[in-house]
Amino acid sequence: MTGMRVIGWGKALGEKLVTNDDLAQTLDTSDDWITERTGIRQRYIGGSVASLGTQAAQRALEVAGLTGSDIDMVLLATTTSDQIVPSTAVVIQAALGVTGGALDLNAACSGFAYGMVVANGLLATGMKRIVLIGAEQLSTITDFSDRSTAVLFGDGAGAVVLEATDGPGDLLSSVLGSDGDLKHLLYAEHGGYLQMVGKEVFRKAVQVIVESASEAMVKAGIGVDDLALMVPHQANLRIIQAACQRLGIDEAKAMVTVDKYGNTSAASIPLALVDAITEGRLQAGDLVLLTGFGAGMTWASAILRWNP
Ligand code: UT7
């Protein structure tokens, strides 16, 4: 039996810091509205998916003490590939000097959590190490004249290096879900901007987090009290609070970065995970709930044992 463990991590942010007050200069909005309704105070904009993803991956390789030639596969979760063809994963693969495969994965904001499960499966086929990246440049599909979406999103990337281990490894359980009948709730046409029915997405998000996280905990044979940390997709502080309340998870156990980075879609879970690690919020043996939801709709929950 082959499993996986996390051996490296890194992040990168868009180069320009944009505060709520900056946005209020050109939009009919306010710091008060954005903070109260979303928890967002600022976000970073800029870079490209390839440049952000490469920086985050390079930092993750440094932590692991590896170079690109040690990696069998670049797996990039993104909704905002720099080009339609080729994948942005191949641009990152070339920049890192990886000689193995490269693949973009689009499961919207659930992409990184989906990627954990895909990577776990790929490692079981005999690969030794995978770089899994969540990277987004949402500013390319954001209409900055639409206050209902312009205040929400940011650019950034987070990455982990995953290594095959003998035995079951540290991904204890996972639950993946999707419902394409809800695709009208959140979408962007080619060349168009993100459109969202915010209230409906909010309601569905809380529901799927609670259901998939509960199922993932049952599959792993654990309860909420066994969790050291929850790393949810960072779309809205109120979604995180509502999910914690319904799951019976102490809010203090939820990693929150939406205030600093806004919603960075597939990059939000790895950005929050990397901050949790660097802020010392994880100790060896801790159990972590990763939970994502987004356009599709898609959702994914996974239980990870922190064992670097
Ligand atoms: O990552 C992918 C998943 N995405 C999400 O999970 C997002 C889920 N949805 C949300 O987070 C929330 O629905 C939003 C933050 C998008 C919106 O918050 P809301 O509490 O659902 O507000 P709303 O859309 O119902 O709008 C309330 C009011 C409206 O005015 P009226 O109709 O009550 O007069 C909006 O026009 O707030 C107005 N509004 C704003 N006002 C100031 C909408 N956007 C803004 C804004 N500034 N930026």
Side-chain angles (χ1 to χ4, degrees):
M1 193 177 194
T2 308
M4 73 177 192
R5 68 189 190 110
V6 179
I7 60 166
W9 48 88
K11 72 171 187 183
L13 293 163
E15 67 255 15
K16 187 169 176 230
L17 174 65
V18 179
T19 65
N20 292 346
D21 284 335
D22 292 336
L23 291 174
Q25 288 182 6
T26 52
L27 278 174
D28 180 14
T29 188
S30 65
D31 178 44
D32 280 352
W33 190 95
I34 302 169
T35 307
E36 273 169 30
R37 293 294 181 137
T38 71
I40 299 167
R41 294 181 179 277
Q42 59 176 47
R43 71 287 293 141
Y44 293 84
I45 304 282
S48 66
V49 175
S51 67
L52 293 166
T54 301
Q55 282 174 54
Q58 263 161 347
R59 287 169 189 153
L61 286 171
E62 277 164 34
V63 169
L66 300 172
T67 65
S69 61
D70 300 309
I71 301 298
D72 298 316
M73 177 87 190
V74 174
L75 194 54
L76 170 67
T78 188
T79 1
T80 49
S81 268
D82 292 328
Q83 293 174 280
I84 293 173
V85 175
S87 72
T88 303
V90 299
V91 182
I92 298 174
Q93 165 266 317
L96 296 176
V98 172
T99 50
L103 170 73
D104 281 5
L105 182 160
N106 182 349
C109 308
S110 316
F112 185 84
Y114 262 70
M116 283 284 213
V117 182
V118 172
N120 200 45
L122 288 170
L123 291 168
T125 69
M127 289 184 187
K128 294 268 187 299
R129 292 180 208 96
I130 294 175
V131 171
L132 170 63
I133 307 160
E136 299 281 9
Q137 194 189 7
L138 291 165
S139 56
T140 57
I141 57 167
T142 301
D143 178 356
F144 283 99
S145 66
D146 172 9
R147 70 175 182 174
S148 72
T149 53
V151 302
L152 302 175
F153 302 106
D155 301 336
V160 290
V161 181
L162 301 169
E163 183 171 66
T165 57
D166 291 333
D170 294 330
L171 187 67
L172 304 191
S173 71
S174 60
V175 175
L176 303 183
S178 60
D179 183 355
D181 285 338
L182 300 178
K183 67 183 194 309
H184 60 284
L185 294 183
L186 179 48
Y187 65 91
E189 303 286 358
H190 281 302
Y193 292 126
L194 271 173
Q195 309 291 332
M196 178 165 69
V197 187
K199 271 206 190 322
E200 299 270 331
V201 174
F202 191 117
R203 253 194 299 273
K204 187 72 188 174
V206 176
Q207 180 200 330
V208 298
I209 294 174
V210 171
E211 287 172 2
S212 65
S214 301
E215 196 183 336
M217 284 189 277
V218 169
K219 274 185 161 182
I222 66 163
V224 283
D225 294 338
D226 299 312
L227 289 174
L229 193 71
M230 173 188 187
V231 182
H233 169 49
Q234 308 283 319
N236 188 320
L237 181 59
R238 291 188 295 134
I239 293 177
I240 297 172
Q241 289 167 334
C244 281
Q245 199 181 12
R246 288 186 203 183
L247 284 164
I249 296 178
D250 181 354
E251 244 184 72
K253 284 188 183 175
M255 191 65 199
V256 173
T257 55
V258 71
D259 53 333
K260 292 186 289 184
Y261 310 141
N263 179 348
T264 57
S265 191
S268 93
I269 289 179
L271 276 170
L273 180 64
V274 170
D275 279 4
I277 297 165
T278 51
E279 289 169 18
R281 290 192 61 171
L282 285 173
Q283 310 302 323
D286 278 354
L287 298 181
V288 186
L289 165 65
L290 307 180
T291 183
F293 56 89
M297 284 186 67
T298 59
W299 54 91
S301 285
I303 306 292
L304 183 71
R305 183 173 36 224
W306 182 245
N307 183 26

